[in-house]
């Protein structure tokens, strides 16, 4: 509400108060305010339907006349029912007594579970609380572009990446931002699993039409974890039609998934091609600098002091996703609160020992088996001296992965893969590294293999 | 206005309506009832506190249509102290209401009818469905006592109703305990979850009680719910808030479980009540290792009592304290001879259920020592 409309309403109320009885005034005009002014129409917020009906029946003309007296350009007056905030404050004073007697009973932890039922958005997920680093810069920029021109800039916006890197956060931030910008925008967040259940129920109860209508009425639709649509053909078909309907009306759609759409198995091609029409952004795991930035932001958010030394140490040791970082930070906060002291590096090292994930270990054999399975080649061929192209490539990939992900030494890789010289191994690794720079499909393949190996 | 109607029916209806009138409100007209006699031979009695509104219709012989607004409590007291006739006659004496029987004539000062608020009406786009009044009663009566009595969090001073997968759920919690009642419905109703203020629920229960077993038409929009059936129209404001996603706090694993006869528990709790102190504390000693459950309460001014319950037990030993009022509250909602209490550990809630009745579930948080 602007100062102007606030002033306007106060002036109007003074006039109203002079013309009706005190009792009537307090009963009907308490908790009213101007919500907004649009095209010369004043939208008046009232606390309930009763008040709305009564004011519009008894005082409509009078209010309109008074409003016009102050601002001639006003053409109309509409009423909207808004939540009263004042009731809460008033009531809290006279109910302290009953609360006292209950104080020694533990409370159910309901606080953490408030989610807006109209749009399913969690208000905590905003752009302000989103830490931007080198790794998610692109995704953040794409989301920013989307909120500037919803439905036009990138539609759909497709965010993918491993778990715990902020896909849901970013997707919901888009929704929360657009909702804040314009409260009329109908934003809806749903997980693909929930969508499927709702759809099936609707079909069972012969309510498919109302289901369709419901989803077609949204201005912004955010669908989380759509990899779960795999194999659900009917639901995919419904999503396809829904997508077309929303897309044609320039309604913004945001999807998230743990994989690139092309790699979601059993996803229909027509859906894949539609996803590709918008913007597909990857959120990879954070690099060192981003981990430092995230730790600093989270610590500041919790009002927790961390020396640079400790942050550096944590950023190096905890290399997983953001959720892991948060977990470790929570342990530190809890410990330092318990002890009431600022933690020193060696204490931190001790604490982290248990929670830092051990470096991945996998046997060479396992890697060979998984990779040859992935490329559908015979495992035995990898160890042989053959130089057939379809074998050489997986073999090089295996070497690269063993070196990069599992820190196996060059000589021992060579020895285990059929007694090859360590220079062969070095050459292979360098070759893959070079190719990675120019070949995004290779990168995706490697990422896929990495997920299989986890 | 001039009409004649049965005294008994009239009294019964104004007593119901009178409860809805506004008390301690700045606007005196809200403490009134509107009597509206129209040509159709129906007398309408309307009351509202601008949160809840009610309109009851009773048959009457209308000689002359008209309307009048009089204070509800005065009208009720007058009618309830008239004994000389089965029928009464209501008419206007100038602006005021005249109530007459063969042996008496009373004049009650009236208020301007124009000042009496209208009730929100059913709108075309409202969601509409029918529901049996007894079912609805069963749903709300099973849980309403768990709702918060303060309005610090308006969304908890409500009964939360939603439909999912051919079931209607009624839930209430004050964050110390939580009740959930589930009713099967024949087909899904396409409605958003709603929050009905607990104050209004209590009045709605009284109206439904008075109705007996009938089908009720429910109309619903974002702000308002309307219940209508023959001769009755009740409308309540809905709370615009979010009920916590309580499903997440329902425990899935339990450390110990106790099954007792409901009647045994009721008897023991009655005695516990005598000796509990201001905090209503009752201590549970759950001892599967010794195959017994002991309840204790003590008050330094009165004395103390120790009660052993016959029970089937499993799991770990546990000592835990509750507010016994919270435990007692839920017993009326459990339609089963035996009750299971499933504990989830110290400082964690206990789940109470009927052994053969899965439609009601109750969660109570323990007390700190």
């Amino acid at each position: 509400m602007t100062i102007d409309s606030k002033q306007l309403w106060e002036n109007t109320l003074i006039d109203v108060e002079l013309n009706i009885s005190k009792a009537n005034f307090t009963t009907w005009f308490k908790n009213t305010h101007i919500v907004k002014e649009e095209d010369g129409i004043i939208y008046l917020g009232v606390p309930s339907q009763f008040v709305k009906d009564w004011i519009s029946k008894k005082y409509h003309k009078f209010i309109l006349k008074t409003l016009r007296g102050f601002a001639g350009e006003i053409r109309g007056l509409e009423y909207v029912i808004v939540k009263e905030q004042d009731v809460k404050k008033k009531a809290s004073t006279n109910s302290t007594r009953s609360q006292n007697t209950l104080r020694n009973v533990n409370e159910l932890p309901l606080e953490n579970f408030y989610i807006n039922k109209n749009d399913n958005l969690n208000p905590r997920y905003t752009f302000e609380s989103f830490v931007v680093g080198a790794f998610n810069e692109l995704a953040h920029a794409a989301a920013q572009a989307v909120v500037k021109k919803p439905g036009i800039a990138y539609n759909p916006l497709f965010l993918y990446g491993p778990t715990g890197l902020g896909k849901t956060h970013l997707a919901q931030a888009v929704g929360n931002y657009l909702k804040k910008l314009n409260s009329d925008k109908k934003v809806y967040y749903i997980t693909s699993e929930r969508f499927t259940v709702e759809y099936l129920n609707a079909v069972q109860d012969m309510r498919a039409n109302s289901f369709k209508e419901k989803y077609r009425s949204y201005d912004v639709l955010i669908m989380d974890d759509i990899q779960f649509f795999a194999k659900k053909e009917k639901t995919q078909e419904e999503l396809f039609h829904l997508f077309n309907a929303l897309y044609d009306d320039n309604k913004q759609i945001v999807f998230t998934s743990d994989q690139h759409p092309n790699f979601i198995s059993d996803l229909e091609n027509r859906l894949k091609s539609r996803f590709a029409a918008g913007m597909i952004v990857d959120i990879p795991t954070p690099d060192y600098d981003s981990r430092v930035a995230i730790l600093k932001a989270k610590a500041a958010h919790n009002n927790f002091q961390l020396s640079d030394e400790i942050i550096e140490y944590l950023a190096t040791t905890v290399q997983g996703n953001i959720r892991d970082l948060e977990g470790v930070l929570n342990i530190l906060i809890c410990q330092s609160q318990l002890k009431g002291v600022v933690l020193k590096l060696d204490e931190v090292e001790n604490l982290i020992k248990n929670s830092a994930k051990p470096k991945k270990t996998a046997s060479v054999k396992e890697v060979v088996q998984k990779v040859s399975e992935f490329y559908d080649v015979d495992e035995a061929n990898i160890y042989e001296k053959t130089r057939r192209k379809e074998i050489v490539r997986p073999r090089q990939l295996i070497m690269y992965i063993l070196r990069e992900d599992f820190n196996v030494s060059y000589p021992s890789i060579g020895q285990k893969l059929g007694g090859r010289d360590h220079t062969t191994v070095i050459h292979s690794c360098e070759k893959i590294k070079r190719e990675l720079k120019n070949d995004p499909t290779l990168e995706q393949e490697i990422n896929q293999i990495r997920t299989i190996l986890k | 206005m001039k009409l004649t109607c049965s005294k008994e029916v009239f009294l019964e209806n104004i007593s119901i309506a009178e409860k809805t009138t506004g008390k301690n409100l700045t606007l005196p007209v809200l403490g009134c009832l509107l009597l509206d006699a129209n040509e159709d031979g129906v007398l309408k009695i309307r009351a509202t506190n601008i949160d809840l509104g009610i309109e009851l219709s009773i048959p009457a012989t209308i000689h002359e249509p008209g309307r009048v607004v009089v204070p509800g409590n005065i009208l009720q007291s007058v009618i309830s102290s008239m004994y000389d006739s089965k029928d009464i006659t209501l008419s206007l004496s100038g602006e005021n209401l005249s109530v007459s029987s063969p042996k008496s004539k009373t004049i009650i000062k009236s208020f301007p009818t124009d000042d009496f608020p209208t009730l929100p009406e059913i709108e075309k786009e409202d969601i509409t469905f029918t529901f049996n009044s007894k079912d609805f009663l069963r749903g709300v009566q099973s849980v309403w006592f768990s709702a918060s009595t303060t309005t610090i969090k308006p969304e908890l001073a409500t009964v939360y109703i939603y439909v999912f997968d051919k079931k209607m759920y009624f839930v209430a919690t004050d964050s110390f305990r939580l009740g959930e009642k589930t009713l099967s419905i024949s087909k899904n109703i396409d409605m958003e979850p709603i929050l009905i203020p607990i104050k209004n629920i209590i009045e709605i229960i009284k109206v439904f009680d008075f109705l007996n077993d009938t089908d009720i038409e429910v109309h619903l929009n974002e702000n308002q719910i309307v219940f209508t059936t023959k001769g009755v129209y009740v409308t309540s404001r809905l709370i615009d808030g979010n009920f916590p996603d309580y499903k997440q706090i329902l425990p899935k694993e339990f450390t110990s479980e106790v099954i007792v006869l409901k009647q045994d528990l009721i008897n023991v709790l009655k005695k516990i009540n005598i000796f509990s102190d201001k905090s209503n504390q009752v201590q549970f000693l759950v001892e599967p290792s010794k195959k017994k459950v002991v309840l204790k309460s003590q008050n330094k001014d009165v004395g103390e009592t120790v009660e052993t319950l016959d029970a089937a037990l499993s799991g770990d030993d546990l000592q835990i304290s509750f507010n016994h009022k919270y435990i007692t509250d839920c017993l009326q909602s459990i339609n089963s001879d035996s009750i299971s209490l499933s504990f989830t550990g110290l400082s964690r809630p206990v789940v109470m259920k009927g052994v053969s009745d899965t439609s009601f579930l109750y969660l109570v948080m323990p007390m700190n020592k």
Side-chain angles (χ1 to χ4, degrees):
Chain A
M1 185 173 20
T2 61
I3 302 294
D4 279 354
S5 62
K6 194 174 174 182
Q7 191 61 46
L8 174 64
W9 186 237
E10 271 169 18
N11 291 339
T12 311
L13 283 182
I14 292 169
D15 260 34
V16 173
E17 195 173 3
L18 291 173
N19 281 284
I20 65 173
S21 75
K22 177 99 173 81
N24 267 310
F25 180 76
T26 41
T27 310
W28 302 113
F29 288 91
K30 194 178 67 185
N31 297 326
T32 55
H33 65 272
I34 292 176
V35 177
K36 63 174 177 183
E37 190 186 337
E38 213 173 73
D39 300 334
I41 293 172
I42 295 276
Y43 291 85
L44 188 64
V46 295
S48 73
Q49 184 85 36
F50 286 94
V51 178
K52 180 182 162 181
D53 286 5
W54 193 243
I55 291 188
S56 61
K57 191 176 161 216
K58 292 283 281 193
Y59 304 111
H60 183 81
K61 275 189 189 150
F62 180 70
I63 297 172
L64 195 59
K65 210 177 96 194
T66 318
L67 281 171
R68 277 194 186 132
F70 292 111
E73 73 279 8
I74 291 168
R75 288 190 293 117
L77 178 62
E78 298 274 331
Y79 304 91
V80 281
I81 296 167
V82 292
K83 199 165 158 184
E84 315 175 48
Q85 296 296 338
D86 297 350
V87 177
K88 279 190 196 172
K89 287 176 209 143
K90 202 179 75 198
S92 58
T93 46
N94 57 27
S95 57
T96 34
R97 188 160 30 93
S98 60
Q99 283 292 304
N100 273 342
T101 56
L102 300 167
R103 191 170 282 166
N104 57 349
V105 181
N106 293 315
E107 280 195 54
L108 292 163
L110 297 167
E111 287 299 332
N112 308 327
F113 301 112
Y114 282 96
I115 287 169
N116 193 331
K117 66 172 193 253
N118 289 328
D119 50 29
N120 292 333
L121 287 174
N122 188 330
R124 277 186 312 160
Y125 291 137
T126 59
F127 280 121
E128 287 77 35
S129 59
F130 190 79
V131 183
V132 188
F135 73 107
N136 59 11
E137 214 173 5
L138 180 64
H140 182 256
Q144 287 286 355
V146 161
V147 296
K148 284 198 187 92
K149 285 183 181 171
I152 297 161
Y154 300 121
N155 202 11
L157 175 65
F158 194 104
L159 302 167
Y160 76 97
T163 177
L165 294 177
K167 295 186 301 284
T168 303
H169 188 148
L170 201 55
Q172 291 215 18
V174 171
N176 274 321
Y177 185 90
L178 290 174
K179 199 175 67 167
K180 211 170 88 190
L181 209 62
N182 184 352
S183 54
D184 288 347
K185 275 246 188 298
K186 285 182 79 181
V187 181
Y188 199 67
Y189 167 88
I190 193 162
T191 59
S192 63
E193 190 256 342
R194 182 88 204 179
F195 181 83
T196 311
V197 172
E198 246 183 67
Y199 175 65
L200 292 180
N201 277 337
V203 171
Q204 250 172 30
D205 304 331
M206 322 278 277
R207 286 188 296 114
N209 274 333
S210 75
F211 174 86
K212 279 174 205 251
E213 259 169 48
K214 176 180 159 191
Y215 279 91
R216 276 159 182 64
S217 71
Y218 294 121
D219 297 314
V220 180
L221 183 68
I222 303 164
M223 208 174 271
D224 210 351
D225 285 330
I226 62 150
Q227 70 270 17
F228 294 120
F229 277 132
K231 297 203 172 107
K232 290 169 184 145
E233 283 159 25
K234 274 285 159 197
T235 320
Q236 279 188 30
E237 195 183 316
E238 189 53 39
L239 177 67
F240 171 77
H241 293 306
L242 170 63
F243 182 92
N244 284 345
L246 291 176
Y247 187 82
D248 288 345
D249 286 347
N250 282 336
K251 306 287 180 64
Q252 180 66 42
I253 308 160
V254 182
F255 291 110
T256 79
S257 158
D258 64 354
Q259 281 171 325
H260 190 283
N262 287 347
F263 293 109
I264 302 174
S265 53
D266 297 291
L267 192 65
E268 289 197 44
N269 280 329
R270 50 184 178 186
L271 273 178
K272 284 182 192 169
S273 78
R274 269 168 180 77
F275 294 154
M279 173 82 167
I280 302 183
V281 208
D282 173 24
I283 307 184
T285 41
D287 51 295
Y288 173 79
D289 290 334
S290 305
R291 286 200 295 274
V292 170
I294 290 165
L295 280 167
K296 279 188 178 155
K298 300 271 174 206
H301 181 74
N302 289 313
N303 283 327
F304 183 63
Q305 299 286 337
L306 267 185
S307 68
D308 288 351
E309 196 186 24
I310 295 181
I311 290 188
E312 262 171 45
Y313 170 76
L314 291 179
T316 347
T317 336
V318 188
Q319 294 202 342
N321 60 37
I322 297 170
R323 246 179 239 142
D324 294 341
L325 285 177
E326 275 182 309
V328 168
L329 198 61
N330 282 337
I331 296 175
L332 296 188
I333 292 174
C334 179
Q335 283 288 339
S336 87
Q337 274 170 356
L338 270 177
K339 293 183 180 156
V341 291
V342 179
L343 295 172
K344 293 200 194 63
L345 184 61
D346 54 330
E347 288 171 306
V348 173
E349 279 173 13
N350 256 332
L351 281 172
I352 298 307
K353 227 186 319 180
N354 299 328
S355 44
K357 273 190 191 159
K359 200 82 180 144
K360 284 175 290 181
T361 51
S363 69
V364 173
K365 227 183 140 201
E366 201 185 329
V367 176
V368 173
Q369 184 212 336
K370 290 277 165 62
V371 176
S372 31
E373 223 169 71
F374 184 80
Y375 287 102
D376 200 19
V377 293
D378 195 358
E379 209 182 314
N381 287 337
I382 300 284
Y383 300 101
E384 282 165 11
K385 295 264 174 205
T386 169
R387 283 210 193 153
R388 273 187 296 149
K389 202 181 166 210
E390 65 264 35
I391 306 295
V392 171
R393 177 67 162 214
R395 193 189 288 139
Q396 288 172 340
L397 268 174
I398 292 170
M399 291 177 179
Y400 173 80
I401 286 171
L402 283 173
R403 180 67 203 156
E404 289 291 308
D405 291 21
F406 300 100
N407 272 334
V408 186
S409 70
Y410 290 127
S412 108
I413 296 175
Q415 193 203 348
K416 286 191 175 142
L417 290 182
R420 287 178 164 77
D421 193 63
H422 76 277
T423 50
T424 318
V425 183
I426 293 174
H427 168 75
S428 305
C429 290
E430 294 298 319
K431 188 166 176 247
I432 296 286
K433 257 187 213 165
R434 262 201 318 276
E435 275 179 33
L436 265 178
K437 279 181 192 144
N438 306 320
D439 188 358
T441 39
L442 179 65
E443 191 188 336
Q444 275 161 8
E445 274 174 27
I446 291 185
N447 280 338
Q448 287 235 296
I449 294 170
R450 279 179 174 147
T451 29
I452 297 172
L453 284 170
K454 254 173 210 167
Chain B
M1 180 179 98
K2 189 163 196 243
L3 64 97
T4 312
C5 65
S6 149
K7 185 208 122 190
E8 197 188 334
V9 176
F10 185 61
L11 178 61
E12 202 174 38
N13 282 271
I14 59 171
S15 305
I16 294 282
E18 199 271 328
K19 294 200 184 83
T20 308
T21 58
K23 314 274 185 317
N24 304 323
L25 275 169
T26 40
L27 198 59
V29 74
L30 295 180
C32 292
L33 298 176
L34 171 81
L35 306 179
D36 182 358
N38 58 21
E39 285 95 345
D40 313 334
V42 173
L43 172 63
K44 286 184 178 162
I45 303 158
R46 191 196 300 164
T48 177
N49 56 12
I50 68 165
D51 205 46
L52 179 72
I54 179 166
E55 188 172 89
L56 302 167
S57 308
I58 59 169
T61 317
I62 314 270
H63 308 295
E64 204 182 305
R67 10 192 313 136
V68 67
V69 170
V70 286
N73 53 352
I74 295 178
L75 182 66
Q76 194 199 356
S77 313
V78 167
I79 305 295
S80 61
S81 47
M82 293 175 77
Y83 297 105
D84 60 327
S85 163
K86 270 189 172 170
D87 291 334
I88 49 165
T89 304
L90 303 174
S91 60
L92 284 185
S93 154
E95 291 282 287
N96 300 328
L97 174 70
S98 144
V99 184
S100 47
S101 64
K103 286 183 184 164
S104 77
K105 184 171 163 115
T106 311
I107 299 210
I108 304 174
K109 207 165 169 317
S110 74
F111 283 74
T113 48
D114 276 357
D115 283 354
F116 199 87
T118 46
L119 300 185
E121 282 166 20
I122 300 168
E123 286 164 29
K124 258 193 238 117
E125 55 269 34
D126 287 357
I127 294 161
T128 304
F129 57 89
T130 53
F131 215 77
N132 183 278
S133 65
K134 278 277 168 292
D135 284 346
F136 187 84
L137 266 185
R138 239 175 349 123
V140 289
Q141 276 182 325
S142 299
V143 300
W144 70 271
F145 52 83
S146 299
S148 173
T149 47
T150 77
T151 41
I152 297 173
K153 290 184 190 144
E155 68 277 10
L156 293 189
T158 62
V159 172
Y160 175 60
I161 303 173
Y162 67 97
V163 171
F164 184 73
D165 202 11
K166 290 195 184 169
K167 287 194 182 89
M168 189 177 267
Y169 292 81
F170 298 80
V171 190
T173 180
D174 58 5
S175 81
F176 304 108
R177 58 344 205 331
L178 180 146
E180 182 203 57
K181 176 80 179 175
T182 317
L183 295 180
S184 294
I185 48 179
S186 54
K187 60 174 192 180
N188 265 339
I189 298 162
D190 194 9
M191 65 178 247
E192 294 293 321
I194 54 168
L195 295 166
I196 305 182
I198 186 66
K199 264 192 339 207
N200 296 354
I201 283 283
I202 294 171
E203 298 308 327
I204 293 169
I205 287 176
K206 284 178 194 152
V207 178
F208 279 26
D209 253 343
F210 156 79
L211 280 179
N212 296 323
D213 200 352
T214 51
D215 274 346
I216 295 171
E217 227 176 87
V218 183
H219 304 267
L220 199 61
N221 64 31
E222 239 183 298
N223 307 303
Q224 208 69 25
I225 186 166
V226 176
F227 302 95
T228 71
T229 181
K230 199 177 172 304
V232 179
Y233 181 95
V234 184
T235 177
S236 163
R237 183 170 70 95
L238 295 177
I239 299 273
D240 174 21
N242 301 318
F243 200 79
D245 189 6
Y246 70 96
K247 285 275 182 200
Q248 301 204 36
I249 55 164
L250 301 182
K252 285 167 197 82
E253 282 162 13
F254 305 103
T255 54
S256 17
E257 189 163 341
V258 172
I259 294 173
V260 292
L261 286 178
K262 179 174 151 186
Q263 197 52 47
D264 285 359
L265 189 59
I266 292 175
N267 296 343
V268 164
L269 284 170
K270 263 185 203 154
K271 214 154 146 199
I272 291 286
N273 184 27
I274 307 171
F275 294 96
S276 68
D277 57 9
K278 245 190 271 159
S279 67
N280 292 326
Q281 186 166 19
V282 55
Q283 196 181 17
F284 276 70
L285 307 174
V286 180
E287 296 176 323
S289 58
K290 293 180 196 152
K291 295 200 162 67
K292 63 175 186 176
V293 187
V294 177
L295 273 65
K296 276 190 198 169
S297 76
Q298 55 196 22
N299 182 334
K300 57 180 186 303
D301 300 329
V302 187
E304 60 176 81
T305 182
V306 177
E307 307 285 330
T308 308
L309 274 170
D310 292 329
L313 296 109
S314 60
D316 306 335
D317 287 7
L318 181 70
Q319 267 194 39
I320 190 165
S321 298
F322 294 98
N323 180 333
H324 71 80
K325 288 241 156 54
Y326 289 171
I327 306 270
T328 314
D329 275 349
C330 81
L331 297 174
Q332 49 125 348
S333 306
I334 297 179
N335 309 315
S336 167
D337 290 342
S338 36
I339 294 180
S340 74
L341 297 110
S342 311
F343 296 90
T344 53
L346 268 181
S347 311
R348 301 187 49 79
V350 60
V351 176
M352 296 180 65
K353 268 186 203 172
V355 168
S356 55
D357 172 24
T358 52
S359 71
F360 179 75
L361 179 146
Y362 190 68
L363 212 71
V364 193
M365 284 303 278
M367 294 173 107
N368 294 326
K369 281 271 167 77

